[in-house]
Amino acid sequence: MKLSQNLLQIATRIESEGGKAILIGGAVRDYLFGIENKDIDVEVYGLHFNQLIAVLKKFGKVSAVGKAFGVLKLSVDGEHFDFSLPRNDIKISSGHRGFQIKTDPGMTFKEAASRRDFTINSIGYDILGRKLLDEFNGRHDLAQRILRVVDAKTFAEDPLRVLRGIQFAARFRLTLTDETKEIFKELTPLLDELPKERIYGELEKLFLKSRYPSVGFQLADE
């Protein structure tokens, strides 16, 4: 996987401080699909939030706009990165804001990946080790064009994931497993608790990023 020198240098510095940098999310998924993705999300293990801030400040401007979620934005030479710590999102009340978020630097990659929405999004890439991390067979599902929920219990904490799944199915021509379909159906009534702007965001991706939006609407109707 081709990575920028800036990212490699940052990952090296993180490791020298006792941490480990893992590329996660769409960048890994889209690389395996053969699609360009400029959104670089890095999860850092072994460092506390303030330690991570101190490391990143050595490279460029750090923005803590996502501090409540353990997320930092870094800009270096025109490149933009999102750095985060592994975390537990605990549902404490209804609504999209009803979460108690607690970062945990000691969490393992497998533990963090178990909280992802779909197996194709649970794959990580060890930046310095130059290897894929795939605890939930995401590469198999990706190769077979299968959309599978990682964990039904944690998936249900955010019903927006149903809409994410629908737009993913349209964008990447994915087939849902029977279990995933049933989970979607069970969560559909909870979509009413989502604000319109979050729903709009997923529909926008369905329209603008998928070649065949009708695939998503057929699935939604089903």
Side-chain angles (χ1 to χ4, degrees):
M1 192 172 184
K2 187 177 180 180
L3 302 174
S4 74
Q5 284 301 309
N6 284 327
L7 183 56
L8 291 171
Q9 289 174 9
I10 295 168
T12 300
R13 187 57 182 259
I14 287 173
E15 187 165 288
S16 72
E17 297 292 331
K20 192 171 191 62
I22 305 294
L23 189 65
I24 60 169
V28 181
R29 178 198 67 223
D30 290 357
Y31 164 74
L32 294 172
F33 269 129
I35 302 171
E36 183 180 5
N37 188 322
K38 295 182 180 180
D39 295 328
I40 304 299
D41 297 304
V42 181
E43 201 161 56
V44 177
Y45 296 78
L47 298 182
H48 290 282
F49 198 69
N50 289 337
Q51 291 177 298
L52 179 57
I53 291 176
V55 170
L56 298 181
K57 279 186 175 180
K58 299 180 185 297
F59 293 91
K61 182 181 178 181
V62 179
S63 174
V65 293
K67 185 175 180 179
F69 300 96
V71 178
L72 295 167
K73 294 183 178 295
L74 173 68
S75 297
V76 186
D77 300 330
E79 289 187 278
H80 304 285
F81 308 98
D82 281 2
F83 288 84
S84 63
L85 300 181
R87 72 190 199 200
N88 279 311
D89 297 350
I90 304 170
K91 190 76 170 176
I92 56 176
S93 63
S94 62
H96 71 291
R97 299 181 186 276
F99 290 94
Q100 182 182 65
I101 297 170
K102 183 179 180 181
T103 58
D104 183 0
M107 188 180 290
T108 65
F109 175 78
K110 183 175 182 178
E111 290 170 334
S114 72
R115 302 191 62 81
R116 311 271 185 241
D117 48 11
F118 304 104
T119 57
I120 63 170
N121 291 332
S122 70
I123 309 167
Y125 185 77
D126 184 337
I127 293 174
L128 296 184
R130 295 286 189 170
K131 62 181 180 180
L132 288 166
L133 306 175
D134 185 13
E135 298 286 353
F136 297 96
N137 298 315
R139 293 183 70 186
H140 169 271
D141 288 347
L142 187 147
Q144 299 298 316
R145 300 277 172 166
I146 292 173
L147 190 67
R148 189 192 312 272
V149 167
V150 175
D151 183 279
K153 183 178 179 181
T154 57
F155 186 90
E157 292 174 351
D158 187 359
L160 183 72
R161 289 173 162 181
V162 173
L163 298 182
R164 292 192 74 210
I166 287 172
Q167 58 102 345
F168 280 145
R171 284 168 57 190
F172 304 119
R173 302 305 299 268
L174 305 174
T175 300
L176 276 63
T177 66
D178 290 340
E179 181 185 13
T180 297
K181 283 186 179 180
E182 289 305 310
I183 293 171
F184 278 23
K185 289 178 181 179
E186 291 173 6
L187 292 178
T188 297
L190 299 180
L191 293 176
D192 287 341
E193 71 181 43
L194 297 173
K196 293 179 180 179
E197 59 268 20
R198 293 191 81 205
I199 294 175
Y200 175 82
E202 297 305 323
L203 293 179
E204 182 180 40
K205 292 174 185 176
L206 174 61
F207 278 116
L208 300 183
K209 291 191 174 185
S210 60
R211 187 173 181 182
Y212 302 103
S214 59
V215 171
F217 284 106
Q218 288 171 357
L219 177 58
D221 186 53
E222 180 182 345

